[in-house]
Amino acid sequence: MAKDHYDYLLLGGGMASDAAARGIREVDPAGTIGIVGREATEPVTRPALSKKLWTDPDFTFDQVWTGTAEDTGADLLLGETVVALDTDRRTVSTASGREIGYGRALVATSGTPGSADVDDSHGTGRVIPFRSVRDYERLRGLTSHGSPHVVVVGGSYIATELAAGLTETDAQVTLVFTQDTLLDQMLPADLAGLAELLFRTHGVELVRGTGVTGGGVQGPDGPVRLALSSGEEVEADVVVLGLGISLETGFAAEAGLETVDDGGIVVDAHLRSSDPAVWAAGDVAHYPDRVLGARRVEHVDHATSSGRAAGRDMAGADEPYTHTPFYYSVLFGVRYEAVGTLDASLEIVEDRQGPADDPLAQVVAYYVERETDGASTAQVHGVLLWGVEEGTAGPDAAREVLAGGPVDPAALRGRIVLDDLG
């Protein structure tokens, strides 16, 4: 039975709130916990929606649920959008008119998926800004019969993962993205080219250097016609948008919490905001990483790690958040992991540990910045581990490099040997 007041009120129905509820229970077994979620479904293991549910036949749909309420006793207040936070009265208001009081609150609201100007006046659901478990169900249903043409729009993690995963169905897949080469904003040029080779080898049509400027669904059964900035048109049975998210933190800024330009909520080393009774974790937290400096991270390792840390701290543990998160993706069975900033505009020291023309070969890439032109030392800002197995010590090895201070870039090759990580 939902209450009007909770000792701990967690705003956001994702993995950060799930982890926070578990963190609270590690310290406080009795305090009341409420979780307010915009989506109508309970928290899920969100990465599976674009990864394992498409590629791993042993991973079934019933495994996506986190079991938050059952495991922690939290009340789930689902289908509720937070519209206001009153830090003086310690209340939260929702779009349905509900007001909920709290002793301590966590903002872990993540964001809404990016959209495009594509009209679906027929209400077909054939244009999907992909984010939620319901989006997965809709896409799975639309691709379960025949050989539909699916256009995935975007060069993001989620777009590339979905385009790869959809090749496991009978769908014909086209990937539309604004970059000149897929993933070239983050990968070394040769590796980006090899990544494209993976997509082409698996039958994905790549439409580069363009975005969607408009379009619409032509009838109750489609098709969807997209107008591209290149002047071309693309027709599809289903369109999936993987265009990132816009943070859902406007209510926090209006309440007076300190934020940064992208909407991230500024927190201290304990993930506490500028209000002493409000914490932030996951996608929305702009936190002081002890290795990388102040930043905001939209990946699952950070969501679960910061969520747990915030929950424990809310319950009185008084422990700083010291974890430097890693992130990962999987494309056609090739797993890559990274720590720090992958910015292809930086100098990249590439340590290829396999054949130069093999997209499956292991690669370690170090993203460095010299203090001055021609300087003999540089600071490592990011480490990419390409072609690794799940569960290795790669992220720990990358963190050691990042925390080690300035290095001679020429000495980086051989610093991390992927075969030795076990």
Side-chain angles (χ1 to χ4, degrees):
M1 185 71 178
K3 303 173 179 63
D4 293 327
H5 184 281
Y6 290 91
D7 298 322
Y8 309 99
L9 187 61
L10 314 181
L11 311 181
M15 296 186 73
S17 286
D18 168 74
R22 296 174 191 277
I24 290 167
R25 283 292 174 253
E26 291 171 4
V27 180
D28 180 355
T32 56
I33 304 173
I35 299 178
V36 182
R38 175 171 46 83
E39 295 173 13
T41 53
E42 61 186 278
V44 298
T45 305
R46 199 177 296 276
L49 304 180
S50 60
K51 295 184 180 75
K52 284 191 172 185
L53 280 172
W54 300 97
T55 61
D56 184 351
D58 295 325
F59 190 91
T60 59
F61 185 71
D62 60 2
Q63 292 175 268
V64 303
W65 311 106
T66 59
T68 312
E70 180 180 358
D71 293 346
T72 68
D75 288 343
L76 302 181
L77 291 72
L78 303 176
E80 293 277 10
T81 299
V82 176
V83 295
L85 170 67
D86 187 329
T87 56
D88 291 329
R89 297 175 58 234
R90 294 195 181 184
T91 60
V92 165
S93 299
T94 71
S96 69
R98 183 166 189 170
E99 186 175 271
I100 310 162
Y102 64 86
R104 296 182 173 188
L106 173 73
V107 182
T109 43
S110 189
T112 55
S115 61
D117 186 19
V118 182
D119 177 54
D120 186 12
S121 57
H122 298 282
T124 66
R126 290 177 178 269
V127 181
I128 306 171
F130 195 92
R131 181 69 177 169
S132 71
V133 68
R134 293 295 180 241
D135 298 330
Y136 164 79
E137 290 177 320
R138 186 180 307 115
L139 180 58
R140 178 64 82 174
L142 288 169
T143 56
S144 61
H145 304 289
S147 299
H149 181 204
V150 181
V151 171
V152 181
V153 180
S156 65
Y157 287 96
I158 196 167
T160 53
E161 289 168 358
L162 283 170
L166 282 162
T167 65
E168 299 291 328
T169 71
D170 291 328
Q172 306 166 54
V173 183
T174 297
L175 180 58
V176 176
F177 52 95
T178 58
Q179 302 100 308
D180 292 330
T181 303
L182 190 62
L183 301 175
D184 65 0
Q185 79 280 14
M186 54 176 280
L187 296 183
D190 61 333
L191 195 54
L194 291 173
E196 279 203 353
L197 178 61
L198 279 173
F199 280 84
R200 293 197 304 271
T201 300
H202 287 83
V204 178
E205 180 186 3
L206 301 178
V207 180
R208 305 177 185 82
T210 189
V212 174
T213 58
V217 183
Q218 304 303 298
D221 298 315
V224 186
R225 190 168 296 154
L226 298 179
L228 305 182
S229 57
S230 63
E232 301 173 282
E233 285 191 347
V234 177
E235 197 167 274
D237 298 297
V238 184
V239 172
V240 186
L241 306 176
L243 299 173
I245 62 171
S246 298
L247 293 187
E248 194 179 354
T249 56
F251 66 88
E254 291 173 4
L257 300 188
E258 183 182 358
T259 60
V260 291
D261 288 345
D262 67 356
I265 298 171
V266 177
V267 295
D268 63 16
H270 291 260
L271 300 171
R272 193 184 300 226
S273 77
S274 54
D275 182 272
V278 180
W279 282 252
D283 296 352
V284 302
H286 185 87
Y287 75 102
D289 190 287
R290 66 186 182 90
V291 174
L292 302 170
R295 64 190 48 234
R296 196 176 60 76
V297 177
E298 294 180 10
H299 293 282
V300 63
D301 181 44
H302 174 62
T304 56
S305 299
S306 66
R308 176 177 177 268
R312 288 180 58 83
D313 205 79
M314 292 169 73
D318 194 28
E319 302 160 345
Y321 178 54
T322 59
H323 180 66
T324 295
F326 82 101
Y327 45 101
Y328 77 100
S329 187
V330 183
L331 303 173
F332 305 107
V334 180
R335 180 185 176 93
Y336 65 92
E337 300 176 346
V339 182
T341 300
L342 301 191
D343 180 353
S345 69
L346 294 171
E347 180 182 347
I348 301 176
V349 179
E350 191 173 347
D351 185 6
R352 178 166 285 276
Q353 300 174 14
D357 59 350
D358 183 4
L360 307 182
Q362 294 181 324
V363 179
V364 180
Y366 304 88
Y367 296 69
V368 306
E369 183 177 24
R370 300 178 192 258
E371 291 185 5
T372 59
D373 289 343
S376 61
T377 60
Q379 181 64 50
V380 182
H381 291 292
V383 180
L384 166 70
L385 311 165
W386 178 274
V388 295
E389 298 293 327
E390 183 176 359
T392 73
D396 288 337
R399 291 183 188 103
E400 288 183 13
V401 173
L402 289 162
V407 297
D408 176 0
L412 285 169
R413 291 185 178 89
R415 179 78 178 268
I416 298 175
V417 180
L418 295 178
D419 280 343
D420 293 344
L421 295 176

